């Protein structure tokens, strides 16, 4: 019974959000909240792709934080790993990709004003949506902040994107930072 009502809630949310977004959303930010108004978020998760959109999401998270834990998370893959001729070659490609991602995420964390937050970062191997869902659930993120380019689709095509998977598989609130300019 509970599962059915959760799916009904999710379907109603998807339909209502998609209709509203298609009609009204060209830029701006949307908060999908499961639990109403929070006095303050304690753990904020920001999945980053090193794009201008994820930089904007990181800056938005830092403006919201006020002394909370903010974690920048990057899911990486190793280009060429599937074509590697040996396990050692694949492992070496994955290690190099991880080292590159760690240096990039450190640089991102350093360029964001973070004096009011406890900032950490994580780099994990795997698909972005699966890594983000697992991390959010494991560390009980109160809020996930996504940049405008994270899903790569328009607002009216919301179903089937990263955002939908996060709504379905986590208990976190979701803040989707909109485009800063109208296209």
């Amino acid at each position: 019974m509970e599962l059915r009502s959760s799916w009904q809630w999710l379907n109603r949310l998807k339909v209502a959000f998609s209709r509203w977004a298609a009609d009204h959303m060209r830029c701006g930010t949307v908060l999908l909240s499961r639990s109403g108004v929070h006095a303050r978020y304690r753990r904020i998760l920001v999945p980053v792709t090193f794009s201008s959109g994820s930089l904007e999401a990181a800056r938005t998270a830092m403006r919201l934080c006020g002394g909370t834990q903010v974690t920048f998370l990057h899911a990486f893959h190793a280009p060429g790993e599937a074509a590697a001729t040996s396990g050692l070659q694949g492992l070496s490609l994955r290690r190099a990709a991880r080292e590159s991602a760690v240096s990039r995420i450190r640089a991102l964390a350093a360029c964001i004003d973070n004096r009011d937050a406890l900032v950490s970062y994580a780099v994990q191997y795997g698909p972005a949506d699966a890594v983000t869902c697992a991390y959010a659930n494991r560390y009980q993120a109160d809020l996930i902040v996504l940049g405008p380019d994270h899903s790569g689709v328009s607002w009216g095509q919301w179903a089937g994107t990263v955002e939908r998977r996060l709504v379905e598989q986590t208990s976190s609130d979701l803040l989707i930072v909109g485009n800063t300019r109208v296209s």
Side-chain angles (χ1 to χ4, degrees):
M1 185 68 167
E2 173 132 350
L3 181 61
R4 184 176 175 196
S5 65
S6 294
W7 280 109
Q8 288 172 339
W9 174 84
L10 178 63
N11 285 331
R12 278 189 236 136
L13 174 68
K14 288 189 306 190
V15 169
F17 180 74
S18 294
R19 285 182 186 156
W20 176 83
D23 292 340
H24 303 298
M25 192 73 179
R26 297 292 179 262
C27 63
T29 299
V30 174
L31 174 65
L32 300 176
S33 178
R34 296 175 185 272
S35 55
V37 178
H38 285 273
R40 184 175 75 173
Y41 289 108
R42 294 171 294 141
R43 287 178 293 277
I44 299 173
L45 177 62
V46 185
V48 295
T49 60
F50 306 116
S51 65
S52 60
S54 34
L55 183 61
E56 186 59 34
R59 287 183 176 137
T60 299
M62 298 314 292
R63 285 192 296 268
L64 293 173
C65 68
T68 62
Q69 175 69 40
V70 176
T71 302
F72 299 119
L73 171 67
H74 178 68
F76 75 96
H77 69 282
E81 181 181 18
T85 56
S86 72
L88 276 157
Q89 187 181 24
L91 186 60
S92 130
L93 289 170
R94 190 181 291 187
R95 190 173 297 135
R98 184 183 195 306
E99 288 171 7
S100 172
V102 167
S103 67
R104 291 179 76 191
I105 206 164
R106 281 183 179 158
L108 175 98
C111 79
I112 301 289
D113 178 16
N114 60 14
R115 62 184 157 229
D116 293 335
L118 304 167
V119 175
S120 62
Y121 59 87
V123 174
Q124 293 186 359
Y125 178 79
D129 54 350
V131 166
T132 303
C133 287
Y135 197 93
N137 288 328
R138 186 176 325 123
Y139 295 102
Q140 301 172 343
D142 300 315
L143 178 67
I144 301 171
V145 182
L146 294 175
D149 58 287
H150 208 283
S151 67
V153 298
S154 70
W155 287 101
Q157 299 170 327
W158 186 69
T161 64
V162 172
E163 291 88 347
R164 177 178 176 206
R165 187 145 184 209
L166 291 171
V167 167
E168 290 174 347
Q169 297 182 9
T170 70
S171 60
S172 307
D173 288 356
L174 189 62
L175 180 67
I176 306 166
V177 178
N179 293 321
T180 55
R181 59 189 156 91
V182 177
S183 49

